Amino acid sequence: MTIWDLHVHMSGAPGATPTERMAQLIAFADRMGIERLCVYMGIPWSKDPPPETFRKENDQVLEAIGKFPDRTFGFVYLNPKHVEASLAELDRCVARGPMVGVKLWVAHRCNAAELDPIIKRAGELQAVIFQHTWLKVTGNDPGESTPFDLAELAARYPATPIICGHTGGDWERGIRAIRAHKNLYADLAGSDPVAGYTEMAVRELGPERVIYGSDAGGRSFASQLGKVLGAQISDAAKQLILSGNLRRLITPILQRKGIKA
Amino acid sequence: MTVDFPRRTFLKSSLAVAALATPAARAADSTRAAGLGLVDTNVNLSRWPFRRCPLDEPPALVAKLREHGVEQSWAGTFDGLLHKDLGSANARLAAECRAHGNLLVPFGSVNPKLPDWEQELRRCAEVHRMPGIRLHPNYHGYKLDDPAFARLLTLASERKLVVQLAVVMEDERTLHPLVQVPPVDTAPLVDLLKKTPGVRLQLLNAFRTVRGEPLLRLAAAGAHFEIAMLEGVGSVAGLTKQLPAERILFGSHAPLFYFESAVLKLKESIFTPEQDRAIRSGNALRLRA
């Protein structure tokens, strides 16, 4: 099966430079048969980065993907608290640069109005949009979005695909929260490999709305692949989850940029 | 842009990958081909209290374990978390294990805060012939500086039982809102291990919370670990750089976790053949001997 990983960070990988870290990640990915890695955010992480910080992190990603263009896709990290700077960065890295997606993390909850111009512009560019979400019974961070927040955003942009990062972590609630919004996709990455996760996602969303990601280097490629390879679903569903769905979402922007994959 | 990656190498390996079904299948194949039977030290029978797991019927779990070359699986019971009649829970566990030949090895639950718990320990060892016991201090409501726990360690050591202590059962962020069970504080363990010679202690699901210096101190004091909740790229090989490899055992936390997640970690990491054998089975067999 062809495997593309939606959710990879250089943080947590060994190496002194972005290029070294990316090389290490690719070496581990090779062991697991993973062909492509979507990479976002730099080193160190910043939860609420000012523009100069997210630009620096994006420069690190640009360096890393520049060395491995046949193996990586870059997503631009933005902060909706800085709308104009984020739009400028989106244009720098995606419209004029080699990146193909957008990463939104925990600076600002995603149901806020500040997200609107970013989602509109990303939609125009056909960039893949990834929004982190969690539903922690121990309490989310102040700017950390929930799948319910993302459902509000998705309802404002029903024609724009958006990926629900981690599916809220508490996936039994997260899957339900996004179920009605057909433009929302479930990211399997970055939580314990609890059995039943993938089966429920496929049952409730359909296999075409579920996407494999690992959250490596903090997580293991292996532990997260186990969620798909160990799931009691059809091989056809596994192939959609492991690469087919991401390929379908990312193909329009790749074609615009003349990137073959 | 410069392409530094050795594309020929990748294409070669990709073709090899394409010729096989999945990484999980390849991991199972390599296990069988190398004759490296796995000992899974972290399995549970019965029902997880908060959802049905896809493989929580023993025949399905056993089939999965056998598919991946598991030759021995140390099985506790989910009933041990919340049931008070542990005598009944352990008897069911022992019977279920017997029904599946030699694959499942029962590890009964003991709660040293229940009245006459010593009798439960005796039954595990003498009646059910269990090689070890499994403890859930956080679900049973005691800390590791409780004198009852020290006494339990001593008695288990005298019987040469393996003591498995589950630090957590799941991510604290996703616990049921009405059942907020904190991770076990393992800080008192180092001194207890020093005071209890011969104790055979293995921590289960430790790596969410036990890291850094506390982990090194526990390993130096003789504790063993398993990999079900170990995360990070190449994490098992990384662990062998921190701890002596003989302290690391294979564990899946199935059926609560996908079994493949653990077995694929062995594929992700690069070991020496000696380390590979030790982690797959050798360390577990030695701990139990």
Side-chain angles (χ1 to χ4, degrees):
Chain A
M1 290 190 183
T2 303
I3 305 172
W4 287 9
D5 192 321
L6 166 69
H7 191 153
V8 176
H9 307 292
M10 291 181 286
S11 178
T17 67
T19 301
E20 287 180 15
R21 289 171 186 254
M22 203 66 247
Q24 287 290 316
L25 285 166
I26 287 173
F28 286 117
D30 284 347
R31 293 185 64 75
M32 305 313 298
I34 300 170
E35 187 179 295
R36 292 273 185 168
L37 308 178
C38 295
V39 186
Y40 27 94
M41 299 166 56
I43 315 138
W45 281 356
S46 174
K47 289 186 173 181
D48 188 5
E52 59 270 25
T53 301
F54 63 68
R55 285 186 206 117
K56 181 181 171 190
E57 291 198 44
N58 291 327
D59 283 342
Q60 293 171 333
V61 174
L62 287 167
E63 177 192 326
I65 66 171
K67 295 289 186 186
F68 304 100
D70 293 344
R71 303 298 304 279
T72 58
F73 298 120
F75 285 23
V76 62
Y77 179 34
L78 305 176
N79 182 348
K81 284 184 177 172
H82 305 279
V83 173
E84 290 308 316
S86 288
L87 290 172
E89 186 69 350
L90 180 55
D91 278 353
R92 178 176 82 99
C93 295
V94 177
R96 299 191 304 276
M99 293 191 182
V100 295
V102 171
K103 166 63 186 274
L104 297 162
W105 196 27
V106 295
H108 203 39
R109 288 176 66 171
C110 65
N111 54 353
E114 289 85 348
L115 271 287
D116 289 343
I118 295 171
I119 300 300
K120 282 179 189 167
R121 181 64 179 142
E124 289 168 3
L125 296 170
Q126 297 177 297
V128 176
I129 302 170
F130 182 102
Q131 170 65 59
H132 165 103
T133 67
W134 254 90
L135 272 169
K136 298 170 182 165
V137 72
T138 49
N140 277 19
D141 288 350
E144 190 169 27
S145 301
T146 69
F148 301 106
D149 298 332
L150 187 58
E152 287 182 39
L153 180 68
R156 302 205 294 265
Y157 298 93
T160 304
I162 305 176
I163 296 168
C164 181
H166 309 288
T167 317
D170 184 349
W171 44 272
E172 286 161 307
R173 289 196 291 158
I175 289 167
R176 296 171 66 94
I178 67 171
R179 182 170 52 191
H181 300 275
K182 305 300 185 193
N183 55 327
L184 286 181
Y185 291 76
D187 161 45
L188 296 178
S191 57
D192 284 345
V194 176
Y197 183 172
T198 310
E199 288 89 337
M200 181 181 173
V202 167
R203 186 185 76 229
E204 297 298 334
L205 306 177
E208 67 283 350
R209 289 176 60 193
V210 185
I211 301 177
Y212 159 72
S214 63
D215 209 359
R219 291 276 178 177
S220 155
F221 289 120
S223 76
Q224 307 299 300
L225 268 177
K227 292 176 179 171
V228 186
L229 299 175
Q232 297 188 345
I233 56 176
S234 69
D235 284 350
K238 288 180 182 177
Q239 187 58 83
L240 283 173
I241 295 167
L242 289 172
S243 65
N245 295 329
L246 178 56
R247 184 188 289 272
R248 191 176 67 249
L249 289 182
I250 212 168
T251 291
I253 193 168
L254 295 184
Q255 287 179 338
R256 277 172 70 123
K257 290 172 173 286
I259 300 171
K260 290 183 179 175
Chain B
M1 282 181 258
T2 307
V3 183
D4 283 355
F5 182 77
R7 184 170 173 77
R8 189 178 302 163
T9 303
F10 170 67
L11 289 174
K12 189 176 173 186
S13 64
S14 295
L15 289 171
V17 164
L20 296 168
T22 64
R26 293 198 308 279
D29 287 346
S30 66
T31 293
R32 282 189 288 270
L36 299 174
L38 277 170
V39 177
D40 186 343
T41 64
N42 186 6
V43 162
N44 277 288
L45 303 187
S46 194
R47 299 283 188 263
W48 176 242
F50 304 103
R51 77 173 66 83
R52 289 298 302 271
C53 305
L55 298 179
D56 63 12
E57 293 288 355
L61 178 62
V62 164
K64 174 66 71 175
L65 296 170
R66 290 202 166 117
E67 175 191 340
H68 286 277
V70 175
E71 294 181 349
Q72 190 178 118
S73 190
W74 299 0
T77 172
F78 287 133
D79 295 346
L81 296 173
L82 300 173
H83 289 213
K84 286 182 277 192
D85 181 5
L86 292 179
S88 173
N90 290 338
R92 288 194 302 275
L93 171 68
E96 196 69 67
C97 289
R98 276 196 307 275
H100 292 91
N102 296 324
L103 179 68
L104 299 176
V105 180
F107 277 58
S109 293
V110 178
N111 177 355
K113 302 309 288 182
L114 285 174
D116 197 24
W117 60 266
E118 293 91 342
Q119 182 72 329
E120 201 53 61
L121 184 72
R122 185 193 66 78
R123 287 179 184 169
C124 285
E126 296 180 8
V127 177
H128 303 306
R129 299 287 179 189
M130 294 174 175
I133 56 172
R134 192 166 290 184
L135 307 181
H136 296 284
N138 47 355
Y139 284 83
H140 294 165
Y142 63 91
K143 307 289 186 188
L144 300 190
D145 56 5
D146 191 311
F149 175 66
R151 177 165 160 73
L152 171 54
L153 276 188
T154 299
L155 294 181
S157 177
E158 288 170 1
R159 291 181 177 273
K160 300 190 185 313
L161 294 171
V162 176
V163 177
Q164 294 188 311
L165 190 159
V167 178
V168 299
M169 290 299 284
E170 61 173 323
D171 186 331
E172 68 280 3
R173 297 172 297 178
T174 59
L175 289 164
H176 191 285
L178 298 180
V179 187
Q180 297 290 298
V181 184
V184 175
D185 177 3
T186 58
L189 270 178
V190 172
D191 283 345
L192 279 170
L193 286 169
K194 291 175 182 169
K195 292 174 185 170
T196 317
V199 68
R200 305 174 183 203
L201 179 73
Q202 183 191 13
L203 298 183
L204 307 182
N205 308 327
F207 294 117
R208 273 200 66 76
T209 54
V210 182
R211 299 171 184 166
E213 278 300 315
L215 172 64
L216 300 180
R217 283 197 294 273
L218 280 165
H224 293 71
F225 304 87
E226 56 76 48
I227 65 168
M229 286 197 180
L230 185 64
E231 284 290 351
V233 286
S235 54
V236 185
L239 191 63
T240 64
K241 295 180 172 65
Q242 299 178 62
L243 309 182
E246 61 264 26
R247 299 279 185 232
I248 305 166
L249 283 64
F250 178 79
S252 70
H253 202 20
L256 186 57
F257 280 11
Y258 290 109
F259 178 85
E260 284 79 358
S261 289
V263 79
L264 286 169
K265 289 178 194 170
L266 300 181
K267 179 170 182 53
E268 189 177 65
S269 285
I270 300 172
F271 309 110
T272 65
E274 293 76 19
Q275 288 173 329
D276 197 34
R277 279 192 294 273
I279 293 168
R280 285 176 185 274
S281 61
N283 294 337
L285 295 175
R286 193 179 61 252
L287 182 63
R288 191 189 156 181

